[in-house]
Amino acid sequence: MQRLSEPQRVLSQMATRMKHAGLGRWQPAISARHTVMLGGVPQKISVEGPGGDAPVMIMFHGGPWAPFIYGLAYRGFYPELSSRFTLVWWDQYGCGKNARRLHDIPADISVETFARMAIDLTDEIRRRFPNSPILLNGYSFGTYLTMQVAAARETDIAGAINLGPIMNMREATEHFRTACEPYLTDRERQRMLRLRNSGRYDPYAAYVERLAGAYTDCCHYRGQDRGKGGMIHDDAMFHRWLLRLITSGDYHPIDLIGAAMGTLPYGRLSRRFHTLWDSMENIDLWALAEHLDMPILYLQGDAERYVLPDELSALAARRSNVRYVRLDRSGHIPKSRAWAQAMREMIAFGEEITGCR
């Protein structure tokens, strides 16, 4: 009998729990696509779940322009969530299902553009579900959006979940540089210095982040297998997330190109979108985190470097409304065990603050 790897065992246990709970056969009362106006632009969203007065959870993916883990392709992918909460999915303007021809995307688009659209989305969902508590659930760059929405609409929001959070992107870049410094070659150090003195934020930040991802566990946790060019072993969730982009009934082949907008040269390196990528350096969420009174849950891998884990645990110690959970043996992209832990924490947090079980 073939022995299951640890990630396979965790996924098998999750599938068994879902089957026993009836979730494997469960069909949401609502599972629909809509076109709404966000920032004055018509965009597609998906809604799935119990509907009615059930709590609503708005999902904000990372990037910018990276609808991975959260995004329109993942409708139907998380029955443990969609059986309890009405989930709202949105691909950021310019990517995935909301991709556009390049010359149709304004050259001055920025992170602030996405924040305004996220606020519009929340207002639209409040109109559609006037009696439902609203939760925000962001991953990576999506945590910038949850916090901007929370600041603008705090009285309308029951709470926010921040998975793989970002806080201050200039600080994050220095965390990455410090983490990979012991492993750098002279050539890499020289290139890093040239980019740092180039006068732009993103080329330097992107290069340092890539090096940290190659040399450390901060992106994919590899443990004993880490090292430059190391393979991602037994990362069942990562492969399932990627496979979902290809097999989702919500995505056509052209949408796959849009899903990669944040990594493709004409999206990330094009001179047309310098404003977008350089605007990342403006992100600083510490002041909001210190002053918002709504419940906030931070879920972070113990090998993360966007924010140092001790910084978030200290925030939670200072702020009674903040809860911090460290995911064991995880980088920025959770592995199977860490994802299962994160899912349990999301459900418990959402049910607690909305009073719905």
Side-chain angles (χ1 to χ4, degrees):
M1 182 176 180
Q2 185 178 6
R3 184 176 180 180
L4 295 178
S5 67
E6 181 61 20
Q8 290 171 326
R9 186 184 67 79
V10 172
L11 291 174
S12 177
Q13 289 177 342
M14 290 175 63
T16 300
R17 289 197 300 271
M18 289 167 56
K19 181 178 179 180
H20 289 166
L23 300 181
R25 299 179 302 275
W26 183 82
Q27 295 294 323
I30 299 175
S31 184
R33 285 181 290 188
H34 305 280
T35 299
V36 298
M37 296 295 291
L38 307 179
V41 181
Q43 298 183 56
K44 298 178 178 67
I45 66 169
S46 291
V47 180
E48 62 162 330
D53 295 342
V56 175
M57 186 177 286
I58 305 177
M59 315 297 282
F60 295 112
H61 66 73
W65 285 343
F68 172 71
I69 300 182
Y70 296 168
L72 280 165
Y74 296 96
R75 179 173 63 154
F77 195 65
Y78 304 116
E80 288 184 309
L81 287 179
S82 60
S83 64
R84 295 169 169 87
F85 311 100
T86 298
L87 305 183
V88 178
W89 305 97
W90 167 56
D91 289 348
Q92 292 158 14
Y93 173 59
C95 78
K97 294 293 288 187
N98 290 317
R100 299 290 193 278
R101 292 176 297 181
L102 294 184
H103 66 265
D104 290 337
I105 304 173
D108 63 350
I109 193 171
S110 67
V111 297
E112 290 82 9
T113 306
F114 294 128
R116 290 191 293 271
M117 291 178 173
I119 294 168
D120 286 351
L121 174 59
T122 304
D123 290 343
E124 175 67 25
I125 296 305
R126 169 53 68 217
R127 286 191 290 270
R128 289 174 181 256
F129 299 93
N131 300 317
S132 298
I134 293 180
L135 296 158
L136 310 175
N137 191 335
Y139 169 65
S140 192
F141 172 70
T143 66
Y144 163 75
L145 300 180
T146 65
M147 297 298 280
Q148 294 302 309
V149 172
R153 299 290 186 267
E154 184 172 10
T155 57
D156 282 336
I157 305 302
I161 298 170
N162 291 326
L163 171 65
I166 60 175
M167 296 298 281
N168 180 300
M169 289 305 296
R170 281 194 168 275
E171 291 177 358
T173 299
E174 289 308 296
H175 296 160
F176 291 137
R177 184 192 62 77
T178 301
C180 66
E181 178 66 32
Y183 310 101
L184 298 179
T185 66
D186 289 341
R187 185 176 181 179
E188 289 166 338
R189 286 192 176 88
Q190 290 170 6
R191 184 180 179 188
M192 186 186 296
L193 183 61
R194 288 197 303 271
L195 291 173
R196 190 171 192 172
N197 295 331
S198 67
R200 288 190 55 212
Y201 168 77
D202 184 63
Y204 168 69
Y207 183 62
V208 173
E209 182 178 340
R210 180 164 65 84
L211 290 174
Y215 284 124
T216 77
D217 287 329
C218 66
C219 181
H220 292 280
Y221 187 88
R222 293 183 291 267
Q224 295 298 319
D225 299 316
R226 72 175 181 267
K228 188 175 181 182
M231 297 296 291
I232 303 167
H233 295 289
D234 291 327
D235 197 349
M237 279 309 305
F238 177 73
H239 295 126
R240 286 187 67 208
W241 279 319
L242 287 182
L243 183 62
R244 180 65 176 189
L245 294 175
I246 301 171
T247 60
S248 169
D250 286 313
Y251 268 22
H252 297 128
I254 191 66
D255 301 321
L256 293 174
I257 299 175
M261 184 68 170
T263 56
L264 293 175
Y266 57 76
R268 185 67 185 261
L269 302 179
S270 169
R271 293 182 61 85
R272 180 175 180 82
F273 301 120
H274 280 186
T275 297
L276 169 60
W277 297 103
D278 285 341
S279 70
M280 292 286 285
E281 72 173 326
N282 300 332
I283 294 177
D284 184 354
L285 301 175
W286 284 113
L288 286 180
E290 293 284 1
H291 293 99
L292 286 172
D293 292 325
M294 59 183 290
I296 301 174
L297 170 65
Y298 287 99
L299 298 161
Q300 184 194 40
D302 56 5
E304 276 264 29
R305 286 294 181 274
Y306 278 101
V307 192
L308 298 181
D310 288 348
E311 293 177 312
L312 285 178
S313 60
L315 173 68
R318 293 193 300 271
R319 304 286 298 165
S320 61
N321 62 307
V322 175
R323 184 180 305 175
Y324 173 65
V325 175
R326 194 170 297 187
L327 305 177
D328 297 332
R329 289 179 288 175
S330 179
H332 191 59
I333 299 176
K335 296 184 73 171
S336 300
R337 181 188 292 273
W339 175 254
Q341 180 186 1
M343 185 76 76
R344 290 193 299 269
E345 295 289 347
M346 290 179 193
I347 292 170
F349 177 80
E351 291 181 338
E352 177 184 333
I353 67 174
T354 62
C356 299
R357 285 178 169 80

